[in-house]
Amino acid sequence: MSKPALLLIGEITPRMRERIESDFEVIPLPRDETDTLADDTAKKITAAITFGGAGLTPELMDRLPNLKIVSNYGVGYDGIDMARAVERGILVSHTPDVLNDEVANTAILLWLATARKLPAYDTYVRAGRWERDGNPPLTRGTQGRTVGILGLGRIGLAIADRLPPFGARIVYHSRRRKDVPHEYFDNLTDMARACDVLICITPGGAETHHIVNAEVIEALGPEGILVNVARGPVLDETALIEALEHKRLGGAGLDVFENEPHVPTALRAMENVTLQPHVGSATVETRAAMGDLTCDNLSQWLKDGTVLTPVPECANMQ
Ligand code: NAP
Ligand code: 8YV
């Protein structure tokens, strides 16, 4: 019997490829090359793997009349047109929890690196400036700060768990108050005003688009540090650059950007920012766990038409 056809969008690990090739006829689709997919190939596709950066556009979904399952290699699925997927009864799964610790560690890393000027001082040493110019200026410390978490979900809670050794006062904002001992702000600007550090870890998508705007950034203030490990568009990058240029914000640690992999030249030139190429979960161990769950969801679907970790919108579909 012929294997079901699976559309593969984006890069996966050799371990994942080995697993899916044993169950599926794999049809790779390089990013942005939807037009190269022939109609007869598109028609036989019943499954797909994609990831946060590419998602599954409405145009591509419309070209796949027999698509039944999308297994997202990552927890964020803002790039998948969920309204269309639900309407068509396409099951979508993702990889929650297995990456919480790694992404939380990344958020803390970006805060500490930015506060203590790790990238700038690394360059200082390498360029021989320590010998030439002496000790660089003092930085602000990281102990006893008020840290605000925007989006106290699975990863947000893992970030909060890491903060007590820093003596931090933990505050948070999300649409709903959570059953946690941390202080809740129902207004993001008010929270930013109370914070030394603001860590963004909400989903992307229309609801959170530019939720961190000029007003929020300025409320954080000239000594404040903004960390974004959520999605680029959660943060208004133009407002961020302007605030940093005019010293209305202290610094920023960024793992995600509005137009990845393009990073504004202005940000690249700034000493008070730490930049990473969307690698919050990108370790061998965590990507192995995410890859296993991505493949396990497909294996389960082949067995009985269900998945282990559906996205919330699909929870009632199985
Ligand atoms: P989660 O458990 O669903 O948590 C999301 C949190 O955001 C919830 O607390 C939710 O609370 C809050 N939220 C949602 N919409 C909001 C809004 N409009 N305003 C304020 N708060 C809002 O998700 P997770 O597993 O922690 O993952 C969060 C996101 O992190 C992912 O969707 C992804 O975009 C990003 N991520 C990035 C990386 C990376 O490599 N940088 C890796 C993994 C994940 P309420 O519902 O009460 O608002
Ligand atoms: C990955 C992510 O970059 O899980 C997410 O939402 O943003 C990251 O873990 C991505 O999905 C890689 O596949």
Side-chain angles (χ1 to χ4, degrees):
M1 218 177 72
S2 66
K3 295 176 185 171
L6 176 141
L7 187 69
L8 175 57
I9 301 168
E11 286 167 34
I12 56 171
T13 60
R15 168 178 163 137
M16 290 172 76
R17 183 170 278 277
E18 203 174 299
R19 272 192 68 180
I20 57 167
E21 280 178 349
S22 69
D23 289 331
F24 293 93
E25 175 197 350
V26 178
I27 300 166
L29 184 73
R31 205 171 166 182
D32 300 332
E33 291 191 18
T34 309
D35 294 347
T36 61
L37 192 65
D39 274 342
D40 52 344
T41 308
K43 275 195 191 111
K44 68 179 182 181
I45 288 165
T46 53
I49 289 182
T50 189
F51 70 109
L56 194 54
T57 61
E59 296 75 30
L60 180 54
M61 215 182 278
D62 288 349
R63 293 210 51 216
L64 307 171
N66 294 308
L67 185 65
K68 302 276 184 298
I69 176 166
V70 180
S71 184
N72 188 58
Y73 177 35
V75 67
Y77 55 97
D78 46 294
I80 300 176
D81 185 334
M82 281 312 302
R84 241 191 194 69
V86 169
E87 188 183 283
R88 281 186 45 191
I90 298 168
L91 198 49
V92 178
S93 64
H94 65 156
T95 64
D97 292 319
V98 295
L99 41 53
N100 293 352
D101 289 336
E102 207 72 73
V103 181
N105 289 345
T106 302
I108 302 293
L109 172 72
L110 281 170
W111 162 37
L112 299 182
T114 306
R116 301 302 313 276
K117 300 201 189 307
L118 185 67
Y121 286 178
D122 178 273
T123 305
Y124 193 87
V125 173
R126 290 173 199 269
R129 290 193 55 195
W130 193 16
E131 285 142 348
R132 207 168 57 239
D133 303 334
N135 291 333
L138 303 181
T139 66
R140 296 303 300 266
T142 51
Q143 209 61 25
R145 297 296 179 193
T146 297
V147 180
I149 301 175
L150 168 57
L152 197 73
R154 290 171 291 247
I155 301 171
L157 281 168
I159 293 170
D161 286 348
R162 282 152 174 76
L163 291 170
F166 294 97
R169 169 186 168 219
I170 304 168
V171 299
Y172 72 101
H173 169 73
S174 50
R175 289 166 302 182
R176 286 168 288 266
R177 185 189 291 272
K178 317 285 173 197
D179 186 17
V180 292
H182 315 305
E183 188 183 338
Y184 176 66
F185 279 80
D186 61 6
N187 181 286
L188 178 55
T189 306
D190 289 346
M191 180 172 87
R193 199 168 292 116
C195 284
D196 300 300
V197 184
L198 173 61
I199 300 179
C200 310
I201 187 66
T202 61
E207 273 213 49
T208 54
H209 186 263
H210 285 188
I211 186 176
V212 180
N213 56 20
E215 184 186 272
V216 174
I217 293 169
E218 293 193 17
L220 193 53
E223 300 288 344
I225 290 178
L226 184 55
V227 171
N228 190 8
V229 281
R231 284 286 181 262
V234 167
L235 175 58
D236 181 339
E237 227 163 57
T238 307
L240 171 76
I241 292 169
E242 216 184 273
L244 286 167
E245 273 170 349
H246 295 93
K247 310 234 175 304
R248 294 198 293 265
L249 179 70
L254 308 170
D255 184 49
V256 289
F257 301 87
E258 283 210 49
N259 185 24
E260 294 174 9
H262 307 291
V263 175
T265 323
L267 282 178
R268 297 187 202 193
M270 288 173 183
E271 279 209 335
N272 51 349
V273 298
T274 308
L275 306 172
Q276 290 203 141
H278 197 152
V279 289
S281 68
T283 63
V284 171
E285 298 81 0
T286 297
R287 284 294 165 84
M290 290 163 64
D292 286 348
L293 186 49
T294 304
C295 295
D296 289 346
N297 275 317
L298 288 165
S299 304
Q300 183 75 23
W301 177 76
L302 281 176
K303 230 187 290 166
D304 65 8
T306 68
V307 291
L308 303 170
T309 48
V311 302
E313 292 89 332
C314 293
N316 296 328
M317 276 165 57
Q318 52 173 20

